[in-house]
Coordinates of all heavy atoms in Angstrom, one line a residue:
M1 N -40.7 174.6 141.4 CA -40.3 174.8 142.7 C -39.0 174.1 143.0 O -38.4 174.4 144.1 CB -41.4 174.2 143.6 CG -42.7 174.9 143.6 SD -42.5 176.6 144.1 CE -42.4 176.6 145.8
E2 N -38.5 173.3 142.1 CA -37.1 172.7 142.3 C -36.0 173.7 142.4 O -35.0 173.5 143.1 CB -36.9 171.7 141.2 CG -36.6 170.3 141.7 CD -36.4 169.5 140.4 OE1 -35.4 169.6 139.8 OE2 -37.3 168.7 140.2
L3 N -36.2 174.9 141.7 CA -35.2 175.9 141.7 C -35.1 176.7 142.9 O -34.1 177.5 143.2 CB -35.4 176.8 140.5 CG -35.3 176.1 139.1 CD1 -35.6 177.0 138.0 CD2 -33.9 175.5 138.9
L4 N -36.2 176.7 143.7 CA -36.3 177.6 144.9 C -35.7 176.7 146.1 O -36.2 175.6 146.3 CB -37.7 178.0 145.2 CG -38.3 178.9 144.1 CD1 -39.7 179.2 144.5 CD2 -37.5 180.2 144.0
R5 N -34.9 177.3 146.9 CA -34.3 176.7 148.1 C -34.5 177.6 149.3 O -34.3 178.8 149.2 CB -32.8 176.4 147.9 CG -32.5 175.1 147.3 CD -31.1 174.9 147.4 NE -30.7 174.2 146.1 CZ -29.5 174.0 145.7 NH1 -28.5 174.3 146.5 NH2 -29.3 173.3 144.6
V6 N -34.8 177.0 150.4 CA -34.9 177.8 151.6 C -33.5 177.8 152.2 O -32.9 176.7 152.4 CB -35.9 177.2 152.6 CG1 -35.9 177.9 153.9 CG2 -37.3 177.2 152.0
Y7 N -33.0 179.0 152.5 CA -31.6 179.1 153.0 C -31.8 179.5 154.5 O -32.4 180.5 154.8 CB -30.9 180.1 152.2 CG -29.5 180.4 152.8 CD1 -28.5 179.5 152.7 CD2 -29.2 181.6 153.4 CE1 -27.2 179.8 153.2 CE2 -28.0 181.9 154.0 CZ -27.0 181.0 153.9 OH -25.8 181.2 154.4
Q8 N -31.2 178.7 155.3 CA -31.2 179.1 156.8 C -30.0 179.9 157.1 O -28.9 179.4 157.2 CB -31.2 177.8 157.6 CG -32.4 176.9 157.4 CD -33.7 177.7 157.8 OE1 -33.7 178.4 158.8 NE2 -34.8 177.5 157.1
C9 N -30.2 181.2 157.3 CA -29.1 182.1 157.7 C -28.7 181.9 159.1 O -29.6 182.0 160.0 CB -29.5 183.5 157.4 SG -28.3 184.7 157.8
P10 N -27.4 181.8 159.5 CA -27.1 181.6 160.9 C -27.1 182.9 161.7 O -26.8 183.0 162.9 CB -25.7 181.0 160.8 CG -25.1 181.5 159.5 CD -26.3 181.7 158.6
Y11 N -27.4 184.1 161.0 CA -27.4 185.4 161.6 C -28.8 185.9 161.8 O -29.7 185.4 161.2 CB -26.6 186.4 160.8 CG -25.2 185.9 160.5 CD1 -24.9 185.4 159.2 CD2 -24.2 185.8 161.4 CE1 -23.6 184.9 158.9 CE2 -23.0 185.3 161.2 CZ -22.7 184.9 159.9 OH -21.4 184.4 159.6
Q12 N -28.9 186.9 162.7 CA -30.2 187.6 162.9 C -30.6 188.2 161.6 O -29.8 188.5 160.7 CB -30.1 188.7 164.0 CG -29.8 188.2 165.3 CD -31.0 187.6 166.0 OE1 -32.1 187.5 165.4 NE2 -30.9 187.0 167.1
K13 N -31.8 188.5 161.4 CA -32.4 189.1 160.2 C -32.9 190.5 160.6 O -33.4 190.7 161.7 CB -33.5 188.3 159.6 CG -32.9 186.9 159.1 CD -34.0 186.0 158.6 CE -33.4 184.7 158.3 NZ -34.3 183.6 158.8
Y14 N -33.0 191.4 159.6 CA -33.6 192.7 159.8 C -34.3 193.1 158.5 O -34.0 192.5 157.5 CB -32.6 193.7 160.2 CG -31.5 194.1 159.2 CD1 -31.7 195.1 158.3 CD2 -30.4 193.3 159.0 CE1 -30.8 195.4 157.3 CE2 -29.4 193.6 158.1 CZ -29.6 194.7 157.2 OH -28.7 195.0 156.3
R15 N -35.2 194.0 158.6 CA -36.0 194.4 157.5 C -35.6 195.8 157.1 O -35.3 196.7 157.9 CB -37.5 194.4 157.9 CG -38.4 194.7 156.7 CD -39.9 194.8 157.2 NE -40.7 195.1 156.1 CZ -40.7 196.3 155.5 NH1 -40.0 197.3 155.9 NH2 -41.5 196.6 154.5
A16 N -35.5 196.1 155.8 CA -35.2 197.4 155.2 C -36.1 197.7 154.1 O -36.5 196.8 153.4 CB -33.7 197.4 154.8
G17 N -36.4 199.0 154.0 CA -37.3 199.4 152.9 C -38.6 199.9 153.4 O -39.0 199.8 154.6
A18 N -39.4 200.6 152.5 CA -40.7 201.2 152.9 C -41.7 200.1 153.2 O -41.7 199.0 152.7 CB -41.2 202.0 151.7
T19 N -42.6 200.4 154.1 CA -43.6 199.5 154.5 C -44.6 199.2 153.4 O -45.1 198.1 153.3 CB -44.4 199.9 155.8 OG1 -44.9 201.3 155.5 CG2 -43.5 200.0 157.0
N20 N -44.9 200.2 152.6 CA -45.9 200.0 151.5 C -45.2 199.4 150.2 O -45.9 199.1 149.3 CB -46.5 201.3 151.2 CG -45.5 202.4 150.6 OD1 -44.3 202.2 150.8 ND2 -46.0 203.4 150.0
D21 N -43.9 199.2 150.3 CA -43.2 198.6 149.1 C -42.8 197.1 149.4 O -42.2 196.5 148.6 CB -42.0 199.4 148.8 CG -41.3 199.0 147.5 OD1 -42.0 198.5 146.6 OD2 -40.0 199.0 147.5
G22 N -43.3 196.6 150.5 CA -42.9 195.2 150.9 C -41.6 195.1 151.6 O -41.4 194.2 152.5
G23 N -40.6 195.9 151.3 CA -39.4 195.9 152.0 C -38.6 194.6 151.7 O -39.0 193.8 150.9
Y24 N -37.5 194.4 152.3 CA -36.6 193.3 152.1 C -36.1 192.8 153.5 O -35.8 193.6 154.4 CB -35.4 193.6 151.2 CG -35.8 194.1 149.9 CD1 -36.1 195.5 149.7 CD2 -36.0 193.2 148.8 CE1 -36.5 195.9 148.4 CE2 -36.4 193.7 147.6 CZ -36.7 195.0 147.4 OH -37.0 195.5 146.2
V25 N -36.0 191.5 153.6 CA -35.5 190.9 154.8 C -34.0 190.5 154.5 O -33.8 189.7 153.5 CB -36.3 189.7 155.3 CG1 -35.6 189.0 156.5 CG2 -37.7 190.1 155.7
L26 N -33.1 191.0 155.3 CA -31.7 190.7 155.1 C -31.0 190.1 156.3 O -31.4 190.3 157.4 CB -31.0 192.0 154.8 CG -31.6 192.8 153.6 CD1 -31.0 194.2 153.6 CD2 -31.3 192.1 152.3
C27 N -30.0 189.4 156.0 CA -29.1 188.8 157.1 C -28.2 189.9 157.7 O -27.6 190.6 156.9 CB -28.3 187.6 156.6 SG -29.2 186.2 156.2
D28 N -28.1 189.9 159.0 CA -27.3 190.9 159.7 C -25.9 190.2 159.8 O -25.5 189.6 160.8 CB -27.8 191.2 161.1 CG -27.1 192.4 161.6 OD1 -26.3 193.1 161.0 OD2 -27.4 192.7 162.8
L29 N -25.1 190.4 158.7 CA -23.8 189.7 158.6 C -22.8 190.3 159.6 O -23.0 191.5 159.9 CB -23.2 189.8 157.2 CG -24.1 189.2 156.1 CD1 -23.6 189.5 154.7 CD2 -24.2 187.7 156.3
P30 N -21.8 189.6 160.0 CA -20.9 190.1 161.1 C -19.9 191.2 160.5 O -19.4 191.9 161.3 CB -20.1 188.9 161.5 CG -20.3 187.9 160.4 CD -21.5 188.2 159.8
T31 N -19.7 191.3 159.2 CA -18.9 192.3 158.6 C -19.8 193.2 157.7 O -20.6 192.7 157.0 CB -17.7 191.7 157.9 OG1 -18.2 190.9 156.9 CG2 -16.8 191.0 158.8
P32 N -19.4 194.5 157.7 CA -20.2 195.3 156.8 C -19.9 195.1 155.3 O -18.8 194.6 155.0 CB -19.8 196.7 157.2 CG -18.5 196.6 157.8 CD -18.4 195.2 158.4
P33 N -20.8 195.4 154.4 CA -20.5 195.2 153.0 C -19.5 196.2 152.5 O -19.3 197.2 153.0 CB -21.9 195.5 152.3 CG -22.7 196.2 153.3 CD -22.2 195.9 154.7
D34 N -18.8 195.7 151.4 CA -17.8 196.6 150.8 C -18.4 197.5 149.7 O -17.8 198.5 149.4 CB -16.7 195.7 150.2 CG -15.9 194.9 151.2 OD1 -15.6 195.5 152.3 OD2 -15.6 193.8 150.9
L35 N -19.5 197.0 149.1 CA -20.0 197.7 148.0 C -21.6 197.6 148.0 O -22.1 196.6 148.4 CB -19.5 197.0 146.7 CG -20.0 197.5 145.4 CD1 -19.5 198.9 145.1 CD2 -19.4 196.6 144.3
F36 N -22.2 198.7 147.7 CA -23.7 198.7 147.6 C -24.1 199.2 146.2 O -24.1 200.4 146.0 CB -24.2 199.5 148.7 CG -25.7 199.7 148.9 CD1 -26.5 198.7 148.3 CD2 -26.3 200.7 149.5 CE1 -27.9 198.8 148.4 CE2 -27.7 200.8 149.6 CZ -28.5 199.8 149.1
L37 N -24.5 198.3 145.4 CA -25.1 198.6 144.1 C -26.6 198.4 144.1 O -27.1 197.4 144.6 CB -24.5 197.7 143.0 CG -23.0 197.8 142.8 CD1 -22.6 196.8 141.7 CD2 -22.6 199.2 142.3
S38 N -27.3 199.4 143.6 CA -28.8 199.2 143.6 C -29.3 199.6 142.2 O -28.9 200.6 141.7 CB -29.4 200.2 144.7 OG -30.8 200.1 144.6
G39 N -30.0 198.7 141.7 CA -30.6 198.9 140.3 C -32.1 198.8 140.3 O -32.7 198.0 141.0
G40 N -32.7 199.7 139.6 CA -34.2 199.8 139.5 C -34.8 200.4 140.7 O -35.5 199.8 141.4
L41 N -34.6 201.7 140.9 CA -35.1 202.4 142.0 C -36.6 202.6 142.0 O -37.3 202.6 143.0 CB -34.5 203.8 142.1 CG -33.0 203.8 142.5 CD1 -32.5 205.2 142.3 CD2 -32.7 203.3 143.9
G42 N -37.2 202.8 140.8 CA -38.5 203.2 140.7 C -38.7 204.6 141.4 O -37.8 205.5 141.2
D43 N -39.7 204.8 142.1 CA -39.9 206.1 142.8 C -39.7 206.0 144.3 O -40.2 206.8 145.1 CB -41.3 206.7 142.5 CG -42.4 205.9 143.0 OD1 -42.1 204.8 143.5 OD2 -43.6 206.3 143.0
N44 N -38.9 205.0 144.8 CA -38.8 204.8 146.2 C -37.4 204.4 146.5 O -36.9 203.3 146.0 CB -39.7 203.7 146.6 CG -39.8 203.5 148.1 OD1 -38.8 203.6 148.8 ND2 -40.9 203.2 148.6
A45 N -36.6 205.2 147.3 CA -35.3 204.8 147.7 C -35.2 204.6 149.2 O -34.1 204.7 149.7 CB -34.3 206.0 147.2
Q46 N -36.2 204.2 149.8 CA -36.2 204.0 151.2 C -35.3 202.9 151.6 O -34.6 202.9 152.6 CB -37.6 203.8 151.8 CG -37.7 203.8 153.3 CD -37.2 205.1 153.9 OE1 -37.7 206.2 153.5 NE2 -36.2 205.1 154.8
F47 N -35.3 201.8 150.8 CA -34.4 200.7 151.1 C -33.0 201.1 151.1 O -32.2 200.8 152.0 CB -34.6 199.6 150.0 CG -33.6 198.5 150.1 CD1 -33.7 197.5 151.1 CD2 -32.5 198.4 149.2 CE1 -32.7 196.5 151.2 CE2 -31.6 197.4 149.2 CZ -31.7 196.5 150.3
E48 N -32.6 201.9 150.1 CA -31.2 202.4 150.0 C -30.8 203.3 151.2 O -29.8 203.1 151.8 CB -31.0 203.2 148.7 CG -31.0 202.3 147.5 CD -32.4 201.8 147.0 OE1 -33.4 202.3 147.5 OE2 -32.4 200.9 146.1
M49 N -31.8 204.1 151.6 CA -31.5 205.0 152.7 C -31.4 204.2 154.0 O -30.6 204.5 154.9 CB -32.6 206.1 152.8 CG -32.6 207.0 151.6 SD -31.0 207.7 151.2 CE -30.5 208.6 152.7
D50 N -32.2 203.2 154.2 CA -32.1 202.3 155.4 C -30.8 201.6 155.5 O -30.2 201.6 156.6 CB -33.3 201.3 155.4 CG -34.6 201.8 155.7 OD1 -34.7 203.0 156.1 OD2 -35.6 201.1 155.6
I51 N -30.3 201.1 154.4 CA -29.0 200.5 154.4 C -27.9 201.5 154.7 O -27.0 201.2 155.4 CB -28.7 199.8 153.0 CG1 -29.8 198.7 152.7 CG2 -27.3 199.2 152.9 CD1 -29.8 197.6 153.7
L52 N -28.0 202.7 154.1 CA -26.9 203.7 154.4 C -27.0 204.1 155.8 O -25.9 204.4 156.4 CB -27.1 204.9 153.5 CG -26.8 204.6 152.0 CD1 -27.1 205.9 151.1 CD2 -25.4 204.2 151.8
K53 N -28.1 204.2 156.5 CA -28.2 204.5 157.9 C -27.6 203.4 158.7 O -26.9 203.6 159.7 CB -29.7 204.7 158.3 CG -30.3 206.0 157.9 CD -31.7 206.0 158.3 CE -32.4 207.1 157.6 NZ -33.9 207.1 157.7
R54 N -27.8 202.2 158.3 CA -27.2 201.0 159.1 C -25.7 200.9 159.0 O -25.0 200.5 159.9 CB -27.9 199.7 158.6 CG -27.6 198.5 159.4 CD -28.5 197.4 158.9 NE -28.4 196.3 159.8 CZ -29.2 196.1 160.9 NH1 -30.1 196.9 161.1 NH2 -29.0 195.0 161.7
F55 N -25.2 201.3 157.8 CA -23.7 201.2 157.5 C -23.2 202.6 157.2 O -23.2 203.0 156.1 CB -23.5 200.2 156.4 CG -24.0 198.8 156.7 CD1 -25.1 198.4 156.0 CD2 -23.3 198.0 157.5 CE1 -25.6 197.1 156.3 CE2 -23.8 196.7 157.8 CZ -24.9 196.3 157.1
P56 N -22.7 203.3 158.2 CA -22.3 204.7 158.0 C -21.1 205.0 157.1 O -20.9 206.1 156.7 CB -22.1 205.3 159.4 CG -22.0 204.0 160.3 CD -22.7 202.9 159.6
D57 N -20.3 203.9 156.8 CA -19.1 204.1 156.0 C -19.4 203.6 154.6 O -18.5 203.7 153.7 CB -18.0 203.3 156.5 CG -17.5 203.9 157.9 OD1 -17.6 205.1 158.1 OD2 -17.0 203.1 158.7
L58 N -20.6 203.2 154.3 CA -21.0 202.6 153.0 C -21.5 203.7 152.0 O -22.1 204.6 152.5 CB -22.0 201.5 153.2 CG -22.4 200.6 152.0 CD1 -21.1 199.8 151.5 CD2 -23.5 199.7 152.3
E59 N -21.2 203.6 150.8 CA -21.8 204.4 149.8 C -22.6 203.6 148.8 O -22.3 202.5 148.6 CB -20.7 205.1 149.0 CG -19.8 206.0 149.9 CD -19.2 207.2 149.2 OE1 -19.5 207.5 148.1 OE2 -18.4 207.9 149.9
C60 N -23.7 204.3 148.3 CA -24.6 203.6 147.4 C -24.5 204.1 146.0 O -24.6 205.3 145.8 CB -26.1 203.8 147.9 SG -27.3 203.1 146.8
E61 N -24.3 203.2 145.1 CA -24.3 203.5 143.7 C -25.6 203.1 143.1 O -25.8 201.8 142.9 CB -23.1 202.9 142.9 CG -21.7 203.3 143.5 CD -21.4 204.8 143.4 OE1 -21.9 205.5 142.5 OE2 -20.6 205.3 144.3
A62 N -26.6 203.9 142.9 CA -27.9 203.6 142.5 C -28.1 203.9 141.0 O -27.8 205.0 140.6 CB -28.9 204.3 143.3
M63 N -28.6 202.9 140.3 CA -28.8 203.1 138.8 C -30.2 202.8 138.4 O -30.8 201.8 138.9 CB -27.8 202.1 138.1 CG -26.4 202.4 138.4 SD -25.3 201.0 138.2 CE -25.3 200.3 139.8
D64 N -30.7 203.6 137.6 CA -32.0 203.4 136.9 C -32.2 204.4 135.8 O -32.2 205.6 136.0 CB -33.2 203.6 138.0 CG -34.5 203.1 137.4 OD1 -34.7 203.1 136.2 OD2 -35.3 202.6 138.2
G65 N -32.2 203.9 134.6 CA -32.4 204.8 133.4 C -33.8 204.9 133.0 O -34.0 205.6 132.0
T66 N -34.7 204.4 133.8 CA -36.1 204.5 133.3 C -37.0 205.6 134.2 O -38.2 205.6 133.9 CB -36.8 203.1 133.5 OG1 -36.9 202.8 134.9 CG2 -36.1 202.1 132.7
L67 N -36.3 206.3 135.1 CA -37.1 207.2 135.9 C -37.6 208.4 135.1 O -36.8 209.0 134.4 CB -36.2 207.7 137.1 CG -35.7 206.6 138.1 CD1 -34.9 207.4 139.2 CD2 -36.8 205.8 138.6
N68 N -38.9 208.7 135.3 CA -39.4 209.9 134.8 C -39.1 211.0 135.7 O -38.6 210.9 136.8 CB -40.9 209.8 134.4 CG -41.8 209.5 135.7 OD1 -41.4 209.9 136.8 ND2 -42.8 208.8 135.5
E69 N -39.5 212.3 135.4 CA -39.2 213.4 136.2 C -39.8 213.3 137.6 O -39.2 213.7 138.6 CB -39.7 214.7 135.5 CG -39.3 216.0 136.2 CD -37.7 216.1 136.4 OE1 -37.0 215.6 135.6 OE2 -37.3 216.8 137.3
T70 N -41.1 212.9 137.7 CA -41.7 212.7 139.0 C -41.0 211.8 139.9 O -40.8 212.0 141.1 CB -43.2 212.2 138.8 OG1 -43.9 213.1 137.9 CG2 -43.9 212.1 140.1
A71 N -40.5 210.6 139.4 CA -39.8 209.7 140.2 C -38.5 210.2 140.6 O -38.0 210.0 141.7 CB -39.6 208.4 139.4
R72 N -37.8 211.0 139.7 CA -36.5 211.5 140.1 C -36.6 212.5 141.2 O -35.8 212.6 142.1 CB -35.8 212.2 138.8 CG -35.1 211.2 137.9 CD -34.2 211.9 136.9 NE -34.9 212.7 136.0 CZ -35.4 212.3 134.8 NH1 -35.4 211.0 134.5 NH2 -36.0 213.1 134.0
V73 N -37.7 213.3 141.1 CA -37.9 214.3 142.2 C -38.2 213.6 143.5 O -37.7 214.0 144.6 CB -39.1 215.3 141.8 CG1 -39.5 216.1 143.0 CG2 -38.7 216.2 140.7
A74 N -39.0 212.5 143.5 CA -39.3 211.7 144.7 C -38.0 211.1 145.3 O -37.8 211.2 146.5 CB -40.3 210.6 144.3
I75 N -37.1 210.6 144.4 CA -35.9 210.0 144.9 C -35.0 211.1 145.5 O -34.4 210.9 146.6 CB -35.1 209.3 143.8 CG1 -35.9 208.1 143.2 CG2 -33.7 208.9 144.2 CD1 -36.1 207.0 144.2
Q76 N -34.9 212.3 144.9 CA -34.2 213.3 145.4 C -34.6 213.8 146.7 O -33.9 214.1 147.6 CB -34.2 214.5 144.4 CG -33.3 215.7 144.8 CD -33.4 216.8 143.8 OE1 -34.2 216.8 142.9 NE2 -32.5 217.8 144.0
N77 N -36.0 213.9 146.9 CA -36.5 214.3 148.2 C -36.2 213.3 149.3 O -35.9 213.8 150.4 CB -38.0 214.5 148.1 CG -38.4 215.7 147.3 OD1 -37.7 216.6 147.1 ND2 -39.6 215.6 146.8
V78 N -36.2 212.0 149.1 CA -35.8 211.0 150.1 C -34.3 211.1 150.4 O -33.9 211.0 151.6 CB -36.2 209.6 149.6 CG1 -35.7 208.6 150.6 CG2 -37.7 209.5 149.6
C79 N -33.5 211.3 149.4 CA -32.1 211.1 149.5 C -31.3 212.5 149.7 O -30.1 212.5 149.8 CB -31.5 210.4 148.3 SG -32.2 208.8 148.0
M80 N -32.1 213.6 149.7 CA -31.5 214.9 149.8 C -30.6 215.0 151.1 O -31.0 214.5 152.2 CB -32.6 216.0 149.9 CG -32.0 217.4 149.7 SD -33.3 218.6 149.7 CE -34.3 218.0 148.3
G81 N -29.5 215.5 151.0 CA -28.6 215.6 152.1 C -27.7 214.4 152.4 O -27.0 214.4 153.4
C82 N -27.9 213.4 151.7 CA -27.1 212.2 151.9 C -25.9 212.1 150.8 O -26.2 211.7 149.7 CB -27.9 210.9 151.9 SG -26.9 209.5 152.2
P83 N -24.7 212.5 151.2 CA -23.6 212.6 150.2 C -23.1 211.2 149.8 O -22.4 211.1 148.9 CB -22.5 213.4 150.9 CG -22.8 213.1 152.4 CD -24.3 213.0 152.5
R84 N -23.6 210.1 150.5 CA -23.2 208.8 150.2 C -24.1 208.1 149.2 O -23.9 206.9 148.8 CB -23.1 208.0 151.5 CG -22.0 208.6 152.4 CD -21.8 207.8 153.7 NE -23.0 207.9 154.5 CZ -23.7 206.8 154.9 NH1 -23.3 205.6 154.6 NH2 -24.8 206.9 155.6
F85 N -25.2 208.8 148.7 CA -26.1 208.2 147.8 C -25.8 208.9 146.4 O -25.8 210.1 146.2 CB -27.5 208.6 148.2 CG -28.6 208.0 147.1 CD1 -29.0 206.7 147.3 CD2 -29.0 208.8 146.1 CE1 -30.0 206.2 146.4 CE2 -29.9 208.3 145.2 CZ -30.4 207.0 145.4
H86 N -25.4 208.0 145.4 CA -25.0 208.5 144.1 C -26.0 207.9 143.1 O -25.9 206.7 142.9 CB -23.6 208.1 143.8 CG -22.7 208.4 144.9 ND1 -22.2 209.8 145.2 CD2 -22.1 207.7 145.9 CE1 -21.4 209.8 146.2 NE2 -21.3 208.5 146.7
Y87 N -26.8 208.7 142.4 CA -27.7 208.3 141.4 C -27.0 208.4 140.0 O -26.4 209.4 139.7 CB -29.0 209.1 141.4 CG -29.9 208.8 140.2 CD1 -30.5 207.6 140.1 CD2 -30.0 209.8 139.2 CE1 -31.3 207.3 139.0 CE2 -30.8 209.5 138.1 CZ -31.4 208.3 138.0 OH -32.2 208.0 136.9
H88 N -27.2 207.3 139.3 CA -26.7 207.3 137.9 C -27.8 206.9 136.9 O -28.5 205.9 137.2 CB -25.5 206.2 137.7 CG -24.5 206.4 138.7 ND1 -23.4 207.3 138.6 CD2 -24.2 205.8 139.9 CE1 -22.6 207.2 139.6 NE2 -23.1 206.3 140.4
R89 N -28.0 207.7 136.0 CA -29.0 207.4 135.0 C -28.5 206.4 133.9 O -28.0 206.8 132.9 CB -29.5 208.7 134.3 CG -30.7 208.4 133.5 CD -31.4 209.7 133.0 NE -32.7 209.3 132.4 CZ -33.4 210.1 131.7 NH1 -33.1 211.4 131.6 NH2 -34.5 209.7 131.2
I90 N -28.5 205.2 134.3 CA -28.0 204.1 133.5 C -29.1 203.1 133.3 O -29.8 202.7 134.2 CB -26.8 203.4 134.2 CG1 -25.7 204.4 134.3 CG2 -26.4 202.2 133.4 CD1 -24.5 203.9 135.1
R91 N -29.3 202.6 132.1 CA -30.3 201.7 131.7 C -29.6 200.4 131.2 O -28.8 200.4 130.3 CB -31.2 202.2 130.7 CG -32.4 201.3 130.4 CD -33.3 202.0 129.5 NE -34.6 201.4 129.6 CZ -35.7 201.9 129.0 NH1 -35.6 202.9 128.3 NH2 -36.9 201.3 129.2
F92 N -29.9 199.3 131.8 CA -29.3 198.0 131.4 C -30.3 197.3 130.5 O -31.4 197.1 130.8 CB -29.1 197.1 132.6 CG -28.1 197.7 133.6 CD1 -28.5 198.4 134.7 CD2 -26.7 197.5 133.4 CE1 -27.6 198.9 135.6 CE2 -25.8 198.1 134.3 CZ -26.2 198.7 135.3
I93 N -29.8 197.0 129.3 CA -30.6 196.3 128.3 C -29.9 195.1 127.8 O -28.7 195.1 127.4 CB -30.9 197.3 127.1 CG1 -31.6 198.6 127.6 CG2 -31.7 196.6 126.0 CD1 -31.7 199.7 126.6
V94 N -30.6 194.0 127.7 CA -30.1 192.8 127.2 C -30.5 192.8 125.7 O -31.6 192.9 125.3 CB -30.7 191.5 127.8 CG1 -30.2 190.3 127.2 CG2 -30.4 191.6 129.4
T95 N -29.4 192.6 124.9 CA -29.6 192.5 123.4 C -29.2 191.2 122.9 O -28.5 190.5 123.5 CB -28.9 193.7 122.7 OG1 -27.5 193.5 123.0 CG2 -29.3 195.0 123.2
G96 N -29.6 190.9 121.7 CA -29.1 189.7 121.0 C -29.9 188.5 121.3 O -29.4 187.4 121.1
K97 N -31.1 188.6 121.9 CA -31.9 187.4 122.3 C -33.1 187.4 121.4 O -33.7 188.4 121.1 CB -32.2 187.4 123.7 CG -31.0 187.1 124.6 CD -31.4 186.8 126.0 CE -30.2 186.4 126.8 NZ -30.5 185.7 128.0

């Protein structure tokens, strides 16, 4: 427990993501992000879409090399029509350990 610290954010918080996926609580920073990288989509891109709705000038570079065909179709259905969502079939692997 020594490695975990509670961080008190001075900004309001908001929730993004699907209700059945747990979602994420984020700080509402005063300036928009410059870059949105998302790794490990699984079969749910609701978090990514919520962030893109919140920041209309932001683009998402989403990476997951493990998606099967069913998951890819699910992601495509959620993100269809959003030109700012870019999926890359990239798999990150740690080697040499």
Side-chain angles (χ1 to χ4, degrees):
M1 292 302 280
E2 236 176 74
L3 298 175
L4 298 177
R5 273 189 215 173
V6 176
Y7 175 72
Q8 295 298 323
C9 178
Y11 306 105
Q12 294 285 357
K13 296 176 188 133
Y14 66 96
R15 187 184 177 290
T19 54
N20 61 342
D21 188 32
Y24 300 90
V25 176
L26 305 167
C27 288
D28 193 7
L29 300 174
T31 57
D34 295 321
L35 179 65
F36 181 22
L37 297 175
S38 179
L41 294 169
D43 64 353
N44 186 326
Q46 190 59 54
F47 171 76
E48 289 76 11
M49 296 312 295
D50 286 351
I51 298 298
L52 290 176
K53 285 178 194 168
R54 188 171 191 90
F55 301 103
D57 294 328
L58 190 62
E59 299 211 6
C60 175
E61 302 298 333
M63 295 155 270
D64 194 329
T66 66
L67 298 184
N68 61 28
E69 186 59 27
T70 303
R72 279 195 293 277
V73 169
I75 295 297
Q76 183 180 9
N77 288 338
V78 170
C79 303
M80 192 177 300
C82 183
R84 297 179 297 120
F85 180 88
H86 310 286
Y87 170 71
H88 307 278
R89 189 170 189 189
I90 296 173
R91 188 175 201 172
F92 297 96
I93 300 172
V94 177
T95 60
K97 288 193 174 194

